[in-house]
Amino acid sequence: MSIEAYRDSWGVPHLRAGNALELAFAQGRNVALDRAWQIEVERHRSQGTTAAFLGAEAVGWDRFARQALLDDTARRCFDRLDRLDPDTAAWIRSYVDGVNAGLGEGARRAPQFEATGLTPGRWQPWTPLGVWLSTHILFAGFPTKLWREEVVRRLGAEAIELFATDGPGTSGSNGWLIAGDRTATGNALIAGDPHRFIEDPGVYQQIRLACPEFDVVGLAVPGVPGIAHFGHTGQVAWAITNAMADYQDLYREQLRRREDRQQGGDVEALGPDGWRPASAHVETIEVAGADPVEVEVIETERGPVVIGGPGESMAVSLRYPPRVREDLGFGALPALLRARSVDDVDRAFDQWAEPVNVVQAADTRGGLLHRVAGAVPRRHRDNMLRVVPAWEPGHEWRGWHEMPHEDVDGVAVMANQRGIAGPVGVEFAPPHRQRRIQQLLDESTAWSGKDMAAIHTDSHLASAQPLIDLLAGLGDLDGLSPEAARLRERLLRWDRRMEAGSTDATAYAAVRSAVVRRLAAHPALSGLSEPPPHPAIFQPWLALVPRVAYALEALLSTRQIPGVDRADHLRADLVRAALEEVAADVAADGREPVPWGEVHRLAPWQALPDATEPQWPGLSGDHDCVLSTSSVPGVTDHSARGPAARYVWDLARREDSLWVVPFGASGVPGDAHHRDQLPLWLQGELVPVITDWNLLTEESHDL
């Protein structure tokens, strides 16, 4: 094989090969060397086999992965791809061959294998599809429909909109496209930052892939070939955000076992046409340090059953496009690598399926693209809002939506707000991030790539306004204590910036959390405090305090709260009590609040937490800031979610493009590039994208 591997000064792999298949092999082998532990965890997650080495805490995910038939769906999608697009299937196989070639060496470098007793396994051709599916199956937030069921049951249908916002477990992003007439070079810029749960190692890998057909830099997902989300070919660049579309349905099922089978009998499900056979079998989850767990896997004509079963009070099936269509849209991946124009990118994303994204692209000839990509079914509006009864007609899928496109006039900003994706979604992020980015971009018509860092790191918190307005409404006649009055005046003077060094930001966050806890405890909402007995994996969507926290702006400004006669009086009383609570705590402590970064610390997810890990660093930002480092008010000030990467794609000169990831290029603990980008990421700094092969260091690997 004619494969060459290089590294830049940040350890980013630059891979060059004689053709696309050899390059796919090189990419697979590289990720196995750099991220062996990470990708093996992801393979096991897609199969539902993580508890075998991570223990009992992983059983919940394994149960869901098996019940949702993730691995089987990935296999079906690959089989269909193999039939209809054999060239793409061969490309994926070559990547998998590379993974298998490098996994043994990569595992020897990763101490987590020895610590858990895990032996590296063998990847199948469909494994990358399984990794992709398991990574994104919860992106559309279908458990929100379980939450709405509880809201309707407890408060009535009119209360649904109180909580209709980007909430627990939902990933978002910022992205913006600046046309050439607004830049210093006359060529477009694309910049942004995907917001996801921060994982260590990071969920995005900086990489360069070059062969005679193409030369692309971008952010790859470890375990998946190509560059799906963020890439620059030299002639065209693209980026995505979560469209917040609704494309997964939940059906309430009635299940029974056939009477002619005594034990483990065939399962039937009630549909619009009566009782119909459902497939069913039992699988065993092996658990490290505990007894195995059996799980029954059932699939009705709607989809796999992810809650309950025959004889249980509630059973719910999940219908999702890749299972229905046997397609994840992977045909787009090699097409994107070969793209030379926005038209090429547009055609590539016509094949896209999951997750549904907003796409922006620009090329060196001045072409611009702003569209939604993915598979969204046409069906009854109730399907998008609630868990619908499987036995009632009218809830079937009826074809697929055409994906919206919009023209770009100077600037286009995407931040998960209702907008271009409005026709295919229900709940969106508040418009604060989008409006703030737009406001900042309107301040100049000569933007450069280096200017983008100031936008990436903007910490203005517009969503604080309703709480600040309520504080302003408290006057001398409200009987505030002197300590509370001083705290009130302090917050009214606050600049609304959630900077790591700001003690005012900490004081605001403390009052906000106290309001959230008190509002969640009020009798009007407290009925939602006991979530239904659904599987633990869905509990982040069903917990009341986080729901109140993310919907606080609406709850503090709406005219009516179900069960409350005078909502304005209730809010004033809650804010007054919260202000007194925090003021008393500050007085008892005898000192100023600590800076925001002392409490707002990074809290990344690690499959195998390191007990020797020092305290993670503090952060600027907050949930509704452009610098969206999300805390959960009322629960924790720590941030588990934030920018999983930052990028600036320059269409004038690709070598002027910039990027950074939270940790580093390597997933190997102790490696020089394991966390060398963390200080830069914390400060909002970016590193150059190196494109000159003469500035790279060649590696030698036995193939």
Side-chain angles (χ1 to χ4, degrees):
M1 287 188 179
S2 56
I3 292 174
E4 299 170 325
Y6 297 80
R7 301 274 181 177
D8 64 23
S9 58
W10 295 97
V12 172
H14 295 244
L15 308 176
R16 190 160 60 183
N19 57 57
L21 289 179
E22 289 185 353
L23 187 58
F25 180 94
Q27 186 184 8
R29 188 171 190 277
N30 168 264
V31 77
L33 294 173
D34 284 6
R35 306 288 186 98
W37 168 252
Q38 180 183 18
I39 66 171
E40 274 293 84
V41 168
E42 292 303 323
R43 178 178 70 86
H44 281 280
R45 280 176 60 83
S46 71
Q47 297 174 170
T49 53
T50 59
F53 60 97
L54 294 180
E57 290 186 358
V59 168
W61 171 266
D62 285 356
R63 181 187 297 275
F64 168 72
R66 290 168 184 257
Q67 289 180 320
L69 293 163
L70 299 186
D71 187 61
D72 183 68
T73 301
R75 180 183 56 79
R76 292 187 183 189
C77 290
F78 183 84
D79 288 347
R80 181 179 184 274
L81 194 67
D82 207 13
R83 295 193 306 271
L84 302 181
D85 186 357
D87 289 343
T88 296
W91 177 72
I92 296 171
R93 280 196 178 93
S94 188
Y95 177 89
V96 168
D97 289 343
V99 171
N100 287 326
L103 203 52
E105 181 180 345
R108 288 190 291 272
R109 299 176 63 201
Q112 297 97 329
F113 284 88
E114 183 177 357
T116 59
L118 178 64
T119 301
R122 184 162 187 84
W123 283 45
Q124 299 298 327
W126 60 86
T127 301
L129 285 74
V131 168
W132 187 266
L133 185 58
S134 66
T135 300
H136 295 100
I137 187 66
L138 296 174
F139 251 50
F142 69 81
T144 298
K145 296 176 184 181
L146 301 172
W147 166 253
R148 294 195 197 110
E149 288 295 306
E150 289 304 298
V151 170
V152 170
R153 185 167 68 90
R154 303 279 187 171
L155 304 180
E158 68 278 6
I160 287 180
E161 293 187 1
L162 283 176
F163 300 95
T165 185
D166 178 21
T170 303
S171 295
S173 299
N174 296 320
W176 54 95
L177 187 162
I178 309 173
D181 59 359
R182 302 283 190 93
T183 71
T185 65
N187 287 78
L189 291 169
I190 300 176
D193 49 356
H195 303 152
R196 304 176 67 127
F197 285 101
I198 302 297
E199 300 181 16
D200 179 23
V203 71
Y204 285 115
Q205 179 197 27
Q206 298 152 304
I207 199 167
R208 182 183 187 182
L209 303 173
C211 66
E213 294 180 71
F214 52 79
D215 182 346
V216 188
V217 296
L219 298 166
V221 174
V224 178
I227 297 170
H229 283 162
F230 309 96
H232 195 326
T233 73
Q235 293 81 31
V236 64
W238 66 91
I240 61 93
T241 65
N242 186 353
M244 307 296 287
D246 185 276
Y247 51 90
Q248 300 165 327
D249 285 352
L250 294 179
Y251 291 82
R252 189 183 299 271
E253 298 278 1
Q254 292 188 40
L255 304 175
R256 71 182 185 187
R257 300 193 190 279
R258 287 178 50 182
E259 296 180 356
D260 58 342
R261 299 289 295 272
Q262 294 182 353
Q263 293 183 351
D266 292 347
V267 174
E268 295 180 323
L270 183 62
D273 299 321
W275 291 97
R276 303 278 294 171
S279 66
H281 67 276
V282 175
E283 298 184 7
T284 300
I285 300 172
E286 299 295 332
V287 185
D291 293 334
V293 175
E294 287 193 345
V295 54
E296 186 172 27
V297 179
I298 300 172
E299 185 172 23
T300 74
E301 292 179 342
R302 272 67 57 193
V305 174
V306 295
I307 297 175
E312 298 188 44
S313 59
M314 184 177 184
V316 177
S317 63
L318 168 65
R319 187 170 180 83
Y320 58 102
R323 187 72 184 167
V324 174
R325 292 158 49 112
E326 299 185 346
D327 181 26
L328 271 170
F330 266 43
L333 299 181
L336 285 171
L337 295 176
R338 296 181 172 90
R340 296 293 181 269
S341 68
V342 295
D343 290 338
D344 293 339
V345 171
D346 196 18
R347 284 191 293 271
F349 276 110
D350 281 342
Q351 304 178 62
W352 196 243
E354 169 127 351
V356 180
N357 292 321
V358 177
V359 179
Q360 292 180 336
D363 61 36
T364 55
R365 293 177 290 183
L368 304 173
L369 176 68
H370 186 50
R371 64 162 295 178
V372 180
V376 179
R378 293 185 179 275
R379 73 277 205 212
H380 195 281
R381 176 72 175 176
D382 286 352
N383 290 44
M384 302 175 72
L385 293 172
R386 306 274 298 276
V387 182
V388 294
W391 54 89
E392 290 186 2
H395 297 296
E396 66 278 358
W397 288 8
R398 303 184 299 273
W400 305 90
H401 279 275
E402 291 291 325
M403 291 295 99
H405 288 63
E406 284 186 358
D407 294 333
V408 178
D409 182 14
V411 170
V413 180
M414 50 185 187
N416 319 117
Q417 77 280 7
R418 187 179 298 275
I420 187 173
V424 294
V426 175
E427 294 186 5
F428 296 86
H432 304 302
R433 287 184 284 119
Q434 184 268 335
R435 289 175 180 170
R436 180 63 175 171
I437 295 169
Q438 184 75 52
Q439 176 189 359
L440 294 171
L441 292 176
D442 287 344
E443 294 176 358
S444 175
T445 57
W447 289 103
S448 71
K450 293 181 179 179
D451 297 331
M452 298 298 98
I455 300 175
H456 282 134
T457 57
D458 186 80
S459 65
H460 184 266
L461 187 67
S463 62
Q465 195 60 50
L467 179 50
I468 297 298
D469 288 344
L470 287 166
L471 289 171
L474 298 177
D476 296 336
L477 297 179
D478 289 287
L480 293 177
S481 67
E483 295 81 6
R486 286 194 295 271
L487 177 58
R488 171 182 173 274
E489 290 302 317
R490 175 181 191 163
L491 293 177
L492 293 181
R493 294 191 303 268
W494 174 48
D495 63 6
R496 313 293 198 272
R497 292 187 177 276
M498 301 297 287
E499 288 294 321
S502 171
T503 56
D504 291 343
T506 308
Y508 167 77
V511 173
R512 178 180 61 180
S513 288
V515 172
V516 167
R517 289 191 297 267
R518 289 174 178 273
L519 187 52
H522 189 273
L525 300 180
S526 62
L528 290 164
S529 62
E530 291 295 330
H534 295 323
I537 192 172
F538 302 134
Q539 293 308 312
W541 285 266
L542 301 173
L544 176 60
V545 174
R547 280 290 177 183
V548 171
Y550 289 121
L552 185 62
E553 188 178 8
L555 290 165
L556 293 182
S557 56
T558 184
R559 290 186 176 183
Q560 293 185 340
I561 298 176
V564 176
D565 293 332
R566 299 287 301 274
D568 52 344
H569 284 199
L570 169 64
R571 286 190 287 261
D573 291 342
L574 289 173
V575 170
R576 183 187 304 106
L579 189 68
E580 291 285 3
E581 175 189 332
V582 175
D585 289 344
V586 171
D589 193 43
R591 59 187 178 90
E592 285 281 291
V594 298
W596 178 229
E598 288 294 312
V599 294
H600 187 56
R601 293 186 176 274
L602 181 64
W605 180 83
Q606 298 171 300
L608 186 65
D610 185 353
T612 66
E613 185 67 51
Q615 189 174 42
W616 289 100
L619 305 173
S620 296
D622 199 35
H623 185 69
D624 288 322
C625 301
V626 177
L627 179 53
S628 185
T629 54
S630 297
S631 61
V632 186
V635 178
T636 179
D637 289 322
H638 288 178
S639 176
R641 195 174 119 194
R646 297 189 182 102
Y647 61 90
V648 180
W649 298 145
D650 194 321
L651 273 301
R653 283 168 37 95
R654 184 171 67 165
E655 56 266 38
D656 290 337
S657 297
L658 303 160
W659 55 8
V660 74
V661 292
F663 300 113
S666 174
V668 179
D671 187 277
H673 301 296
H674 183 215
R675 291 189 182 158
D676 57 337
Q677 294 185 51
L678 178 58
L680 303 176
W681 181 82
L682 292 169
Q683 297 301 319
E685 298 178 26
L686 301 158
V687 300
V689 173
I690 305 299
T691 58
D692 185 345
W693 294 96
N694 294 318
L695 299 178
L696 308 176
T697 301
E698 187 171 5
E699 290 188 331
S700 177
H701 292 292
D702 293 332
L703 298 177

